[in-house]
Amino acid sequence: MEREAMEFDVVIVGAGPAGLSAAIRFKQLCAEQGKDYTVCVIEKGSEVGAHILSGAVLDPKALNELLPDWQERGAPLNTPVTEDKWLVLTEKKSITLPGFMMPSFMHNEGNYIVSLGNVCRWLATQAEELGVEIYPGFAAAEVLYHEDGSVKGVATGDMGVARDGSHKDTYTPGVELHAKYTFFAEGVRGSLSKEIIAHYGLREGKQPQTYGIGIKELWQIDPEKHREGLVLHAQGWPLDKKTAGGAFLYHLEDNQVAVGYVVALDYWNPYLSPFEEFQRFKTHDAIRPFFEGGKRIAYGARAINEGGYQSIPKLTFPGGVLIGCSAGFVNVPRIKGSHNAMKTGMMAAEAAFEAIDAGREGHDELSEYANKFSTSWVHDELFKVRNVRPALKWGTVRGTIYGGFDMWMSHLGMPLPWTLGHHPDNTSLVKAKDAPKIEYPKPDGKITFDRLSSVFLSNTNHEEDQPVHLTLKDPSVPVAINLAQYDAPEQRYCPAGVYEIVGQDVGEPRLQINAQNCVHCKTCDIKDPTQNINWVVPEGGGGPNYPNM
């Protein structure tokens, strides 16, 4: 069946903070100039916000620029930060760091604890009021190119394809979306963004991107233990001193607490399980009391860009741009990226509007966007903290001390004259024979939990009779290399129980992929030692359905 094609001035892949901010800004400019250019946003989640997962403490800097009257418009920024707290944990103790040790930009005064999913739902409403077309439940599965090599647009995935590749009665071919400019706003490790970066060599001369896996739970806690507006960050135990990571507790309204744990994906021990480390963290004497008598109500996981300034690829290519976490604008020490994502979307929208309004036919490079970024506050913010994350390769103690010194020098206007480098996360594991096994305690079902009951709370759902979206370049590698050399670390780094080695008891081990459990975190695509796992989009609408994460 021939695919239908739709024409737009701008197509945006992904309805996250970056994509929606880009759409809003583009249509604002249209309204200001009396133009009727078209913009379309497609989103693989079943609804806007379904796949959005973040801490999140939102710096409203970009929102103030995009929609200065956001309070009057009813933006769901309901919990201003009232208190910052930083803890360093040992197994038995906690040390509170005084606030004066942190540069002013590390403090959260003026920021808001939010559900980023709800913020995106609200942004979508603002966009639609301006005339933006938003299509949730449609996964961009293919980049389309012109004969001259420029991006023509994207095609959504076919629906109703059986696991064996045959067409079911419900088969519907994908739709082609053509645009003068295509914005890739897929979030961290987007499958099409990954293709674009490789196709155009956008990482040439740049450091590799590096990542963390963020795992989050939402709790309803005892009102007497709730401290609305408290932002608590912790580092140290239970991770060893060679493994970077940390935790957060954010006290929202209505006696709810968002608790999360981030483990840097350059960790070295193949026996480490980020999910189990998170569960252990909650048992610390300084943390456990918050959750005693409470109820866990939601769960999710998502990879996080950690490369920062030196890992940002070239942002433009013929016919399109990378915005938001598709490029990687997270400020790691602040644990914030949404404001930067929003601003990059806004800058790209301005560049596209200027180009279209000047009569350019499109499919060329929006170099104006890259120029806007290089002179923006996003650039300046990331440059200040560029050495904090890579310094942790010296160990968490020395790396943290150095990172603090480096930040203070930048804060005082005396940035150090070097930029540290990164290494790819998939190269960091040592062989299983050289690593100590980690014995994790069994979950108690009250404070700590197993992975399958957790995935249940993510409302994850996939049509089971469809092609597996977790593909293997070589089916022999999981047993011949991953199991033989690293004791199959995919069994542990996946926070959703997708990967299992079965058949070992009869001497015929094989990798079983439970794709229906996948919460779309992308950890496997990042951490697999040989990069043999390639994450591609499933049918649109599949995956988690986060109500208010």
Side-chain angles (χ1 to χ4, degrees):
M1 296 176 66
E2 188 173 341
R3 294 190 296 203
E4 179 186 355
M6 302 171 67
E7 302 286 338
F8 297 92
D9 291 298
V10 173
V11 165
I12 299 171
V13 181
L20 292 170
S21 296
I24 290 170
R25 184 66 187 129
F26 186 81
K27 292 300 282 186
Q28 283 176 336
L29 291 168
C30 289
E32 291 169 10
Q33 301 296 322
K35 302 297 171 68
D36 192 27
Y37 304 135
T38 55
V39 57
C40 164
V41 180
I42 57 172
E43 164 58 42
K44 66 182 174 67
S46 60
E47 64 172 4
V48 173
H51 290 178
I52 297 294
L53 181 78
S54 181
V57 174
L58 180 69
D59 183 336
K61 189 171 186 177
L63 184 58
N64 289 336
E65 294 182 16
L66 181 66
L67 295 165
D69 59 343
W70 56 263
Q71 289 177 306
E72 290 79 3
R73 291 171 178 260
L77 279 66
N78 304 320
T79 309
V81 176
T82 58
E83 181 184 0
D84 273 312
K85 193 170 184 179
W86 294 274
L87 298 181
V88 176
L89 303 181
T90 65
E91 187 173 0
K92 300 296 184 182
K93 297 180 180 180
S94 67
I95 301 166
T96 301
L97 299 179
F100 69 80
M101 292 180 64
M102 305 292 175
S104 59
F105 59 76
M106 290 291 290
H107 292 256
N108 283 294
E109 183 179 356
N111 298 332
Y112 293 82
I113 306 172
V114 301
S115 158
L116 192 62
N118 288 340
V119 171
C120 287
R121 292 180 178 96
W122 175 81
L123 285 171
T125 300
Q126 309 308 305
E128 288 177 326
E129 289 177 356
L130 288 166
V132 176
E133 297 181 44
I134 302 177
Y135 299 109
F138 290 89
E142 179 186 354
V143 182
L144 305 175
Y145 299 94
H146 288 285
E147 289 185 3
D148 66 1
S150 62
V151 170
K152 184 179 184 179
V154 296
T156 64
D158 295 347
M159 306 287 281
V161 178
R163 181 161 295 200
D164 63 5
S166 63
H167 292 177
K168 297 185 283 188
D169 293 342
T170 56
Y171 174 74
T172 306
V175 177
E176 294 191 2
L177 302 168
H178 302 165
K180 293 178 179 177
Y181 300 105
T182 304
F183 291 13
F184 291 85
E186 299 174 288
V188 179
R189 195 76 167 193
S191 51
L192 298 190
S193 302
K194 189 170 76 165
E195 175 189 331
I196 287 287
I197 289 170
H199 183 80
Y200 292 108
L202 303 182
R203 286 216 177 277
E204 292 178 8
K206 306 288 186 177
Q207 289 292 309
Q209 185 58 265
T210 187
Y211 303 87
I213 171 65
I215 305 173
K216 177 184 175 182
E217 296 174 348
L218 189 65
W219 282 70
Q220 195 89 36
I221 69 167
D222 183 340
E224 293 185 2
K225 300 175 181 178
H226 187 250
R227 293 159 60 180
E228 184 170 322
L230 171 64
V231 167
L232 184 154
H233 291 118
Q235 64 184 90
W237 188 88
L239 293 176
D240 63 68
K241 293 181 180 179
K242 293 194 292 183
T243 303
F248 62 81
L249 273 75
Y250 300 154
H251 288 238
L252 299 103
E253 69 268 30
D254 300 327
N255 301 316
Q256 291 188 349
V257 171
V259 55
Y261 204 75
V262 179
V263 177
L265 286 178
D266 65 347
Y267 67 81
W268 64 279
N269 188 337
Y271 292 110
L272 184 143
S273 164
F275 176 87
E276 301 289 358
E277 297 292 339
F278 175 35
Q279 300 306 312
R280 281 210 296 177
F281 160 75
K282 290 184 293 176
T283 67
H284 194 280
D285 288 344
I287 304 301
R288 185 184 186 100
F290 283 114
F291 302 110
E292 290 177 331
K295 180 182 179 181
R296 188 177 68 147
I297 56 178
Y299 169 86
R302 190 70 171 95
I304 304 167
N305 289 306
E306 292 192 344
Y309 173 81
Q310 54 270 56
S311 296
I312 297 169
K314 185 183 177 192
L315 298 173
T316 64
F317 46 88
V321 297
L322 299 172
I323 61 175
C325 285
S326 282
F329 297 102
V330 171
N331 182 321
V332 173
R334 292 189 74 198
I335 322 179
K336 291 181 180 61
S338 297
H339 63 303
N340 289 339
M342 293 175 69
K343 181 62 175 178
T344 59
M346 293 159 63
M347 292 186 291
E350 291 165 359
F353 180 87
E354 291 163 7
I356 295 169
D357 207 43
R360 282 158 55 180
E361 295 183 0
H363 314 127
D364 56 337
E365 287 207 32
L366 287 174
S367 56
E368 299 86 353
Y369 164 47
N371 295 336
K372 288 174 184 288
F373 166 70
S374 66
T375 58
S376 70
W377 51 256
V378 179
H379 176 281
D380 294 345
E381 177 178 319
L382 294 180
F383 183 80
K384 285 181 180 179
V385 299
R386 69 195 184 284
N387 289 328
V388 175
R389 173 63 184 88
L392 295 176
K393 64 188 176 185
W394 299 323
T396 56
V397 175
R398 287 187 296 169
T400 299
I401 292 171
Y402 171 83
F405 172 72
D406 196 298
M407 281 196 302
W408 267 109
M409 293 300 290
S410 291
H411 179 62
L412 295 172
M414 298 179 286
L416 300 176
W418 53 77
T419 298
L420 301 177
H422 294 295
H423 55 264
D425 292 325
N426 67 294
T427 64
S428 62
L429 288 179
V430 303
K431 301 295 173 59
K433 64 181 178 60
D434 299 321
K437 289 189 175 182
I438 304 174
E439 297 296 332
Y440 292 109
K442 292 183 178 180
D444 60 20
K446 298 177 181 179
I447 305 297
T448 61
F449 303 90
D450 62 34
R451 278 185 282 191
L452 293 185
S453 66
S454 299
V455 173
F456 177 79
L457 288 180
S458 71
N459 302 303
T460 294
N461 183 58
H462 295 88
E463 172 60 51
E464 289 201 29
D465 187 18
Q466 65 171 298
V468 173
H469 67 281
L470 301 157
T471 63
L472 301 177
K473 298 174 185 176
D474 182 344
S476 70
V477 164
V479 171
I481 297 178
N482 286 17
L483 178 61
Q485 299 184 20
Y486 303 101
D487 198 22
E490 58 268 41
Q491 297 183 102
R492 292 174 289 277
Y493 60 58
C494 174
V498 168
Y499 299 98
E500 289 184 90
I501 296 293
V502 299
Q504 279 186 290
D505 54 339
V506 295
E508 297 179 2
R510 64 178 178 85
L511 179 67
Q512 178 171 296
I513 300 177
N514 306 308
Q516 66 275 15
N517 287 3
C518 179
V519 295
H520 298 199
C521 74
K522 309 296 181 68
T523 303
C524 56
D525 195 279
I526 296 163
K527 187 60 176 174
D528 184 56
T530 64
Q531 295 292 275
N532 187 53
I533 298 173
N534 185 42
W535 196 102
V536 299
V537 291
E539 276 193 5
N545 283 277
Y546 299 132
N548 56 349
M549 298 281 268

